[in-house]
Amino acid sequence: MAESAKINIDGKEIECPVVVSIEGEKAIDISKLRTTTGYITLDPGFGNTGSCKSAITYLDGEKGILRYRGIPIEQLAEYSSFVETSYLLIHGHLPTQSELDKFSLAFNEHSMIHEDMKNFFDAYPSTTHPMAILSAMICALSAYYPGLIKEDPTQEEFDRIAVQLLSKVRTITAFSYKKSIGEPFVYPRYDLRYVPNFLNMMFSSPTHPYKIVDEVAHALRVLLILHADHEQNCSTSSVRLVGSSHANLYASISAGICALWGPLHGGANQAVIEMLEMIHQDGDNVQKYIAKAKDKESSFRLMGFGHRVYRNFDPRAKIIKKCADDLLNKLGIHDPLLDLAKRLEEVALKDDYFVSRKLYPNVDFYSGIIYRAVGIPLNMFPVMFAIGRMPGWIAHWKEMMEDPSTKIGRPFQIYTGEAKHDYVPIEQRSYFHK
Ligand code: SDX
């Protein structure tokens, strides 16, 4: 394998070192390119560009491999808890029993939000999208814990913010849901674990205590673990970029939530169900919508399909599809949208358009089926993604801030605007639009 790459341009030569990871990933380090040759690279969407080195997650898009700190997600989904997986991602190793007990206890200590924050919910229209509320409320936490919004928090301060975010994100989510349906808030309970506590806050009411069904808690535990991290995706890269200016962790996470909201990213789980409902209303006409997805004249895309990195099955989609089947069978639910989703997958994966472009179901294709079965409202599906991704965002912010080579993220551009021309006084402007 090459140890370097030579670039000869305009009579100048630069030798760029090659970086190789333990998994065999290869990169050309071009950090001296501009100062040596005056050239920059151009790579819209960063499809060929690595932004950093990271030890948190590894994925292989060709082989459909995903590991958190070296552990396959299939094993974590089978044996771990979301709290334990969060510890693994943030601290780099599986916790001992005493470490896990201390970490779990802190979740209970930090599950409440300041009582004054309840007033925020009163100000939002009931139709507000919960991602707008979540991003604002996460940033607003910094107002109630000003002592923690430091450029360089101590390890203890960082650990406290991390657990606050992981624990309070449930409470904020449940409170925004309760507000949207006009029901009183249900407070977190000390005796409930992560997912059951969330379900209880979401679905209990003074007249109807929520009965926690193990299968439902299991399905959400698996979903949260599978969403916990995914390398330099759009929202994690946003957290890193914002944090690179030394913005505090609350602000960086709030930016990540906004990036995740987009239907091409974490908003896809909501868009998938909206798409399936539309196709179902149109008589489950699979062929019609597969044709539309292939038609360049149509803006329709098969939401939940395709991925920048996976050129094979998204390993998470496989687990989620089985989890959806198991949960609906156990709950005795027949969801026609699950049948429709499977049919779309079956037809697409026999169609050269999808096969040649290596478009497979991604993490969002089946996850909404589970959220529907649990009773989570459609516009909260991206919020569920955000709850799951919280440990990944926190872990990347920490890794970046601890990396001495980290600099503020500031990409260049290629200018395509007007050539230099003088200011024209308004009375002389006879603008005509070209
Ligand atoms: C997530 O990055 C991550 O890790 C993200 C994520 C995570 O865990 O953080 O995995 C979570 O965001 C998953 C993706 C959720 N988004 C969707 O399901 C939206 C639908 N998918 C697409 O919009 C698209 O596939 C993306 C956004 C996921 C990836 O886009 P790319 O890599 O920029 O690919 P592209 O748009 O350039 O598509 C390449 C070709 C194009 O056709 P040609 O120009 O070659 O003819 O594939 C086509 C596209 O038109 N294509 C699709 C398609 N996705 C790609 N055609 C129809 N339906 C689709 N879904």
Side-chain angles (χ1 to χ4, degrees):
M1 186 181 305
E3 291 182 2
S4 64
K6 283 197 177 86
I7 298 173
N8 281 293
I9 193 160
D10 293 351
K12 297 188 184 84
E13 178 177 285
I14 176 175
E15 189 158 8
C16 302
V18 164
V19 177
V20 184
S21 81
I22 63 159
E23 296 292 347
E25 299 157 304
K26 304 180 288 282
I28 299 169
D29 180 341
I30 57 165
S31 44
K32 298 271 188 296
L33 179 67
R34 182 173 59 84
T35 51
T36 308
T37 68
Y39 281 78
I40 62 169
T41 58
L42 193 57
D43 186 20
F46 310 118
N48 303 281
T49 297
S51 60
C52 63
K53 295 176 183 175
S54 176
I56 298 169
T57 290
Y58 170 69
L59 67 89
D60 182 320
E62 294 299 334
K63 297 175 186 159
I65 290 172
L66 176 57
R67 301 184 196 130
Y68 297 159
R69 300 288 185 178
I71 301 176
I73 49 138
E74 292 80 4
Q75 295 178 26
L76 292 166
E78 177 83 24
Y79 305 114
S80 188
S81 68
F82 180 60
V83 171
E84 183 182 66
T85 295
S86 298
Y87 187 100
L88 169 69
L89 286 166
I90 294 169
H91 296 287
H93 62 87
L94 287 171
T96 61
Q97 188 60 58
S98 63
E99 287 169 333
L100 183 59
D101 292 346
K102 184 179 173 207
F103 194 57
S104 302
L105 188 63
F107 275 70
N108 276 328
E109 298 298 333
H110 295 293
S111 58
M112 293 279 284
I113 60 174
H114 194 292
E115 275 294 286
D116 290 353
M117 289 188 82
K118 286 167 50 180
N119 303 326
F120 287 63
F121 295 99
D122 292 333
Y124 287 105
S126 61
T127 54
T128 305
H129 195 289
M131 285 293 266
I133 297 173
L134 184 63
S135 59
M137 294 297 268
I138 289 291
C139 210
L141 285 174
S142 59
Y144 292 88
Y145 306 97
L148 298 175
I149 51 174
K150 293 173 163 175
E151 278 192 51
D152 54 349
T154 64
Q155 184 61 51
E156 187 194 357
E157 286 166 337
F158 168 81
D159 288 347
R160 184 173 164 196
I161 304 171
V163 171
Q164 266 188 10
L165 287 165
L166 288 162
S167 188
K168 295 181 192 302
V169 69
R170 293 174 294 178
T171 312
I172 293 168
T173 300
F175 280 19
S176 69
Y177 172 58
K178 285 297 192 189
K179 186 65 190 171
S180 73
I181 58 174
E183 285 190 8
F185 296 144
V186 172
Y187 283 76
R189 279 175 37 185
Y190 214 87
D191 60 324
L192 293 177
R193 299 182 57 161
Y194 195 89
V195 170
N197 220 338
F198 170 69
L199 288 168
N200 186 60
M201 287 191 279
M202 283 284 289
F203 300 123
S204 269
S205 73
T207 53
H208 292 79
Y210 176 74
K211 183 180 178 328
I212 294 162
V213 175
D214 289 347
E215 289 81 2
V216 169
H218 167 78
L220 284 193
R221 174 187 67 81
V222 170
L223 278 178
L224 291 177
I225 288 172
L226 294 179
H227 283 79
D229 192 49
H230 212 242
E231 291 192 350
Q232 301 310 313
N233 57 84
C234 177
S235 54
T236 300
S237 297
S238 302
V239 169
R240 279 180 169 259
L241 189 59
V242 170
S244 73
S245 74
H246 286 191
N248 63 73
L249 184 52
Y250 299 108
S252 304
I253 297 292
S254 180
I257 292 167
C258 292
L260 187 74
W261 192 355
L264 294 187
H265 189 17
N269 55 20
Q270 175 178 346
V272 167
I273 296 298
E274 289 166 344
M275 172 190 75
L276 294 175
E277 284 174 334
M278 176 188 69
I279 298 173
H280 188 54
Q281 293 302 320
D282 194 13
D284 286 359
N285 193 332
V286 167
Q287 295 299 344
K288 172 181 173 183
Y289 287 92
I290 289 290
K292 280 170 72 80
K294 295 158 57 177
D295 178 2
K296 292 304 171 195
E297 299 307 308
S298 163
S299 60
F300 177 81
R301 280 204 157 186
L302 196 54
M303 299 310 279
F305 253 70
H307 199 277
R308 173 63 56 78
V309 181
Y310 288 121
R311 293 301 180 229
N312 196 322
F313 254 87
D314 181 332
R316 301 167 296 179
K318 277 185 186 173
I319 299 170
I320 294 171
K321 180 179 178 180
K322 182 178 182 310
C323 198
D325 267 334
D326 293 348
L327 180 65
L328 269 60
N329 289 336
K330 282 180 183 142
L331 297 181
I333 295 173
H334 172 250
D335 186 346
L337 300 191
L338 177 57
D339 299 337
L340 175 56
K342 289 178 179 176
R343 182 87 182 101
L344 279 165
E345 176 188 349
E346 180 191 352
V347 173
L349 296 190
K350 289 176 183 160
D351 187 301
D352 182 60
Y353 173 91
F354 293 89
V355 174
S356 63
R357 290 170 177 79
K358 301 188 176 184
L359 303 176
Y360 292 88
N362 59 48
V363 68
D364 295 302
F365 193 59
Y366 288 106
S367 57
I369 300 293
I370 293 175
Y371 296 139
R372 269 163 62 91
V374 172
I376 291 167
L378 182 57
N379 66 4
M380 289 194 70
F381 289 11
V383 175
M384 295 308 296
F385 197 138
I387 295 174
R389 190 51 52 89
M390 192 63 78
W393 287 333
I394 293 167
H396 280 276
W397 189 91
K398 178 174 186 283
E399 183 179 66
M400 178 194 66
M401 297 303 275
E402 291 175 349
D403 179 350
S405 70
T406 294
K407 300 169 75 175
I408 187 169
R410 202 272 182 226
F412 279 79
Q413 63 163 36
I414 293 295
Y415 177 67
T416 58
E418 301 280 350
K420 182 185 175 194
H421 60 279
D422 295 330
Y423 178 81
V424 178
I426 192 159
E427 60 276 7
Q428 296 174 26
R429 287 174 210 161
S430 56
Y431 282 139
F432 51 90
H433 290 287
K434 296 171 192 151

